[in-house]
Amino acid sequence: MKNIFKTIMVLVLPLLLITACREDADRNWTTPEASFKLHDTTLGATVLYPSMENNPYILTWDKVAGASSYSVVVSSTEDFATKAVLGASPTNTLISSIGELNTAMLQAGISPYAPSKVYVRVENGSAVSNTISFTVTPYPVDKPVITKPTAGQSIVLDAANPLVTAATVMWTDYSYGTDVNYNVEIAPKGSSTFSAAGSTVNTKELAWSNFTLNDVALKAGLPVGVSSEVDVRVTATTTSTGGTITKVSDIVTFKVTPYQPAYVNFYLVGGGTAVGWNAGGAQLLKNTNEVSEIYTYLEQNGEFRFLGQQDWGPINYSLNADGINDSFKYFNTWSSNLEPSGNENMKFTGNSGMYKITINQNSRDITVTPSSVPTLPTNVYLVGSIQGWNAGAAIEMTQVGDGVFEHTIVIPDGAEFKFLGQQDWSGMEWGNIHTGGNSGFLGPNGDNNNIQYNGGGNTYVITANIKLGIYKVTPQ
């Protein structure tokens, strides 16, 4: 029996020694007994705000004989498996701040805006104090970090696949205890003028389609077909009872090559136009490749914008100016008689009258210039091959609306005609815009030619809408 007892003692002692060494090497394996006392210090607040960051937070504890250095640590768990250092002190007192405590809690993995139980203790070598704990809600201090695109990455946009994802912006950030709004922006390298490039709520990534990134790149003024350096940044915005906190990431610079998109249609609508706020009757501008244009009436201080269809959605076009809805921003430059109005429209500040609106889709420029015939006529007359080109005997048309005149007549093949504001060639005149043809758009003196129409000897109603800048020939 004595030999058996000795054998058991031999086996047990090494196990005890191993366990003791393991706990001594890593106190986080267990919760060790406190060997000195940390005095409980309350925060005085359960929710922390940036305005508190300089408020003092002082901890005291009993001295440890012979100790020359203490470390105060913070953890989200009672076993201190993951911890962060709040501070170090050569005495039994640590004078820190609410801001430093808030940062240590975040480093320990506690989420901003999430009420969490926090554990604090003091360590001196192998000795630890008792643990104090409290429930508190920290605030964010660090900014998002962009991980994609990477610096120097080159993205060539594909016009043939506009809806395919061209790139995805990704970033790291806290796991928040509340909603966080992320706004992604780009700008030409070194510029302080950033353009909105999309947003998310809570999600830490944003996919850019070829169309989306191309549209933002063009709004930022980047040249088509050229690889240009672009800065991207992500802004995180959170709101609590303590106010709004905004954190802006560092800039990452990458390269993008935009393409020239297919030319789009512009439909004019607005209270300052001949159409009014009637989206279903919005007036299409004449398109010739990159140029869209029309001679039309604009009212002083009247508001208007352009639609991408004869409906309010989905596409709207307005000035790329502060305060305008991001999805409406299109025109990078505009003439001095235009200015943003509200968050959707532009306002015309010139005198009421007839003007030419010209849009260059390549440069995204819009200009409004006076027409050579600035006022609306009292009468309109029809002149042309259908009556012998005799201006003195030009046919008076019937006024059917404000600036709108009609006449019913038989039109043969090869007919050509114009509209006059008097029965001679000395005053107002309108014809097909720029050159001879049948575009449906009117041009005034100096910017028109004959309207050409093959009528086949049938009867038609010819309508000249001088105010809107269009004409039509309707079979009867």
Side-chain angles (χ1 to χ4, degrees):
M1 290 294 294
K2 290 182 179 180
N3 292 335
I4 293 173
F5 180 75
K6 288 180 179 180
T7 301
I8 292 173
M9 288 293 293
V10 170
L11 289 172
V12 170
L13 285 173
L15 288 174
L16 290 174
L17 289 171
I18 290 170
T19 301
C21 290
R22 185 176 287 172
E23 291 184 357
D24 186 59
D26 186 355
R27 294 187 312 277
N28 293 330
W29 278 60
T30 64
T31 302
E33 293 293 329
S35 56
F36 61 98
K37 182 175 177 57
L38 168 63
H39 302 286
D40 201 346
T41 303
T42 60
L43 285 176
T46 58
V47 180
L48 305 184
Y49 306 120
S51 57
M52 302 175 179
E53 66 178 350
N54 293 321
N55 292 357
Y57 181 63
I58 302 173
L59 290 169
T60 61
W61 52 90
D62 293 343
K63 291 182 178 180
V64 176
S68 61
S69 177
Y70 301 90
S71 180
V72 179
V73 294
V74 174
S75 179
S76 61
T77 57
E78 194 171 6
D79 63 2
F80 288 81
T82 302
K83 60 189 177 184
V85 176
L86 172 60
S89 174
T91 70
N92 62 325
T93 299
L94 176 70
I95 301 176
S96 62
S97 66
I98 293 298
E100 290 171 325
L101 175 63
N102 186 83
T103 297
M105 289 189 293
L106 295 173
Q107 291 172 342
I110 296 170
S111 298
Y113 299 123
S116 303
K117 195 165 187 178
V118 179
Y119 300 89
V120 180
R121 75 183 183 190
V122 182
E123 298 177 350
N124 171 247
S126 61
V128 298
S129 73
N130 59 296
T131 298
I132 64 172
S133 64
F134 43 84
T135 298
V136 69
T137 302
Y139 58 87
V141 293
D142 287 334
K143 54 195 175 185
V145 176
I146 297 174
T147 57
K148 288 185 179 181
T150 56
Q153 180 179 342
S154 182
I155 301 170
V156 179
L157 300 177
D158 183 5
N161 295 286
L163 301 183
V164 172
T165 298
T168 299
V169 190
M170 295 183 179
W171 56 93
T172 58
D173 199 9
Y174 299 109
S175 294
Y176 284 85
T178 188
D179 285 341
V180 52
N181 294 295
Y182 293 107
N183 289 309
V184 182
E185 300 171 296
I186 70 169
K189 182 182 178 181
S191 172
S192 60
T193 303
F194 281 80
S195 299
S199 61
T200 70
V201 177
N202 300 329
T203 304
K204 300 180 183 69
E205 64 178 58
L206 174 70
W208 281 326
S209 69
N210 283 290
F211 173 84
T212 301
L213 184 53
N214 192 73
D215 188 62
V216 177
L218 294 180
K219 285 179 180 178
L222 300 182
V224 171
V226 177
S227 179
S228 300
E229 290 189 300
V230 176
D231 291 338
V232 60
R233 69 184 185 187
V234 176
T235 300
T237 303
T238 50
T239 301
S240 70
T241 53
T244 298
I245 297 177
T246 300
K247 297 293 180 181
V248 183
S249 74
D250 289 335
I251 287 170
V252 171
T253 302
F254 66 101
K255 297 177 181 179
V256 64
T257 304
Y259 60 84
Q260 176 59 57
Y263 298 122
V264 301
N265 289 326
F266 292 92
Y267 293 85
L268 177 65
V269 68
T273 74
V275 174
W277 293 112
N278 176 19
Q283 177 56 50
L284 174 68
L285 274 64
K286 181 183 184 297
N287 283 354
T288 306
N289 295 325
E290 77 277 12
V291 176
S292 300
E293 58 191 338
I294 196 169
Y295 285 93
T296 192
Y297 177 85
L298 292 177
E299 185 175 315
Q300 186 177 34
N301 293 323
E303 294 183 338
F304 67 94
R305 69 176 182 266
F306 299 93
L307 307 175
Q309 60 288 308
Q310 286 183 314
D311 197 345
W312 292 115
I315 304 172
N316 287 258
Y317 300 102
S318 191
L319 304 181
N320 188 358
D322 291 341
I324 298 293
N325 288 347
D326 286 338
S327 62
F328 287 21
K329 291 179 178 179
Y330 181 85
F331 301 107
N332 290 328
T333 55
W334 50 90
S335 52
S336 60
N337 51 14
L338 297 177
E339 61 183 38
S341 183
N343 62 354
E344 298 178 339
N345 304 314
M346 61 191 86
K347 180 189 291 184
F348 175 66
T349 60
N351 295 324
S352 298
M354 296 296 297
Y355 291 84
K356 183 183 183 183
I357 299 175
T358 305
I359 295 171
N360 186 307
Q361 296 190 42
N362 284 340
S363 61
R364 298 200 177 197
D365 171 74
I366 179 171
T367 57
V368 176
T369 54
S371 169
S372 60
V373 181
T375 58
L376 292 172
T378 303
N379 299 295
V380 170
Y381 302 87
L382 179 64
V383 65
S385 63
I386 50 181
Q387 58 81 246
W389 287 110
N390 183 355
I395 302 168
E396 184 173 2
M397 301 178 73
T398 302
Q399 185 168 5
V400 295
D402 186 14
V404 185
F405 300 83
E406 288 185 351
H407 184 71
T408 302
I409 193 171
V410 173
I411 303 178
D413 285 339
E416 298 189 8
F417 55 91
K418 284 186 173 183
F419 306 108
L420 301 175
Q422 62 290 309
Q423 287 181 309
D424 61 48
W425 294 103
S426 64
M428 296 181 284
E429 172 191 312
W430 302 269
N432 192 68
I433 191 170
H434 304 325
T435 61
N438 183 24
S439 69
F441 293 91
L442 290 171
N445 295 32
D447 192 21
N448 72 60
N449 209 314
N450 297 339
I451 298 169
Q452 300 168 346
Y453 198 85
N454 292 318
N458 297 312
T459 301
Y460 297 84
V461 175
I462 300 175
T463 304
N465 189 329
I466 308 297
K467 190 172 187 180
L468 198 52
I470 59 174
Y471 68 88
K472 62 181 178 180
V473 182
T474 309
Q476 294 300 291

